[in-house]
Amino acid sequence: MSTDNRPIGVLDSGLGGISVLRELVKLMPGENFIYYGDSANAPYGTRIPEEVIDLTKKDVEFLLERGAKAIVVACNTATSVAIKELRAAYEEVLPVIGIEPALKPAVKAKEHSKVVVMATPMTLSQTKFNSMMHIYEDDANIIKMPCPGLVEYIESGVLNGPVLDAYLEKQFAPYDKAEIDAVVLGCTHYPLIRSTIQEVMGEKVRLVNPAYETALELKSLLTKMDLLSSGEQQAEFPYRFYVSDLADEFKEFANSILPYDVTMTRKIDIEKY
């Protein structure tokens, strides 16, 4: 079996993709990774589709220039809006996978369940999500919960405390929490406040994060395509981080989330791509 020690490229509109990268590293510790967070243009979830597609293509071009062997679109909004265009443009060159709200495991966990899907307004408005929802709507009561402003809180470092508690309580106020069986974390930023959401909802409510399934999908794809790393020739910096803004803040935040030291974080101008 051949191997490929080029890095895996991971992109997001900012910090959220770290929750996906965390699962990728756990599952494939021998791989090299390049992460790009487009913090200057976050959040993607409030932009029009054309902007999201344009920004995401620039993100991919940046990662390709740095030798990425595969692309993980670790952003639910970018996946919903741009994954079709990205695959059409790049899939002959390298594998491109996205991340989607994990409806299936949430719905199947309990018969006739009540499932809340937290996501950006953009993700929930897209045909891609609504087609998926239609598949499972006979099996569960699925409630779409757009969360405007939540990504901005997380990007600014608000991961707990009274402000975030008040926001979440207001979001869930129209519903009886005792009747909710599962909450789908439909934005990669949201697992970063998983413990806060769990406290608000109570321990009986299952929180569903699709990052692990995405990591499994990528590993399976790399295995089939003989693109897995040998694990023996790690780069000097096996994990490289680039952002379009707030590099110091990103480094500090990433170090609090990831299981290793983030030593290299650089700010770049994505408009050049």
Side-chain angles (χ1 to χ4, degrees):
M1 184 182 74
S2 62
T3 57
D4 191 326
N5 292 319
R6 290 178 297 162
I8 295 167
V10 181
L11 69 89
D12 182 47
S13 63
L15 295 168
I18 292 177
S19 68
V20 180
L21 179 62
R22 179 169 53 189
E23 298 301 325
L24 292 170
V25 172
K26 286 180 184 177
L27 193 63
M28 295 176 285
E31 293 288 344
N32 298 304
F33 292 92
I34 300 178
Y35 182 97
Y36 174 66
D38 192 14
S39 299
N41 293 299
Y44 283 5
T46 59
R47 293 179 174 274
I48 62 173
E50 290 77 11
E51 286 182 312
V52 175
I53 292 169
D54 180 61
L55 288 168
T56 308
K57 283 186 174 180
K58 289 178 179 178
D59 301 344
V60 173
E61 288 294 332
F62 171 77
L63 293 170
L64 286 177
E65 189 176 273
R66 274 146 187 81
K69 66 181 177 183
I71 298 294
V72 179
V73 183
C75 173
N76 291 87
T77 296
T79 298
S80 297
V81 176
I83 197 70
K84 183 177 179 181
E85 285 79 2
L86 294 180
R87 285 175 174 156
Y90 300 108
E91 212 162 41
E92 289 188 6
V93 180
L94 81 175
V96 179
I97 73 166
I99 188 164
E100 297 175 344
L103 268 181
K104 184 176 181 179
V107 169
K108 298 300 182 182
K110 179 183 176 182
E111 190 173 0
H112 304 302
S113 57
K114 189 170 187 176
V115 176
V116 173
V117 182
M118 298 177 66
T120 66
M122 176 70 78
T123 294
L124 295 178
S125 70
Q126 291 299 300
T127 301
K128 187 176 182 65
F129 172 78
N130 286 286
S131 297
M132 188 196 323
M133 181 174 165
H134 182 67
I135 295 171
Y136 300 108
E137 61 187 1
D138 290 337
D139 300 320
N141 179 8
I142 302 172
I143 300 167
K144 297 195 290 186
M145 181 185 284
C147 297
L150 187 51
V151 168
E152 288 90 332
Y153 278 133
I154 297 168
E155 285 282 324
S156 64
V158 180
L159 306 183
N160 51 49
V163 172
L164 188 57
D165 289 345
Y167 176 94
L168 293 171
E169 290 288 0
K170 183 178 179 180
Q171 288 293 108
F172 283 98
Y175 313 105
D176 184 347
K177 294 178 188 175
E179 295 181 355
I180 297 173
D181 298 296
V183 174
V184 176
L185 305 179
C187 170
T188 54
H189 282 73
Y190 301 167
L192 301 176
I193 58 167
R194 182 189 184 103
S195 60
T196 302
I197 297 172
Q198 195 77 72
E199 287 177 11
V200 169
M201 296 305 298
E203 291 301 322
K204 292 184 179 180
V205 176
R206 182 185 180 196
L207 303 186
V208 184
N209 174 13
Y212 179 66
E213 285 75 16
T214 300
L216 286 175
E217 179 186 354
L218 178 63
K219 185 175 182 180
S220 174
L221 194 57
L222 294 180
T223 301
K224 289 177 183 177
M225 299 178 70
D226 285 336
L227 290 175
L228 283 174
S229 168
S230 66
E232 298 173 356
Q233 296 177 323
Q234 288 287 307
E236 182 181 358
F237 296 103
Y239 311 112
R240 286 177 283 163
F241 296 87
Y242 298 87
V243 292
S244 53
D245 198 13
L246 305 173
D248 291 338
E249 290 86 344
F250 177 90
K251 182 178 178 180
E252 180 180 353
F253 184 81
N255 272 317
S256 71
I257 297 295
L258 295 171
Y260 48 79
D261 290 336
V262 177
T263 58
M264 177 184 172
T265 303
R266 292 181 180 171
K267 180 179 175 181
I268 61 101
D269 181 3
I270 196 62
E271 295 304 322
K272 295 180 179 179
Y273 296 89

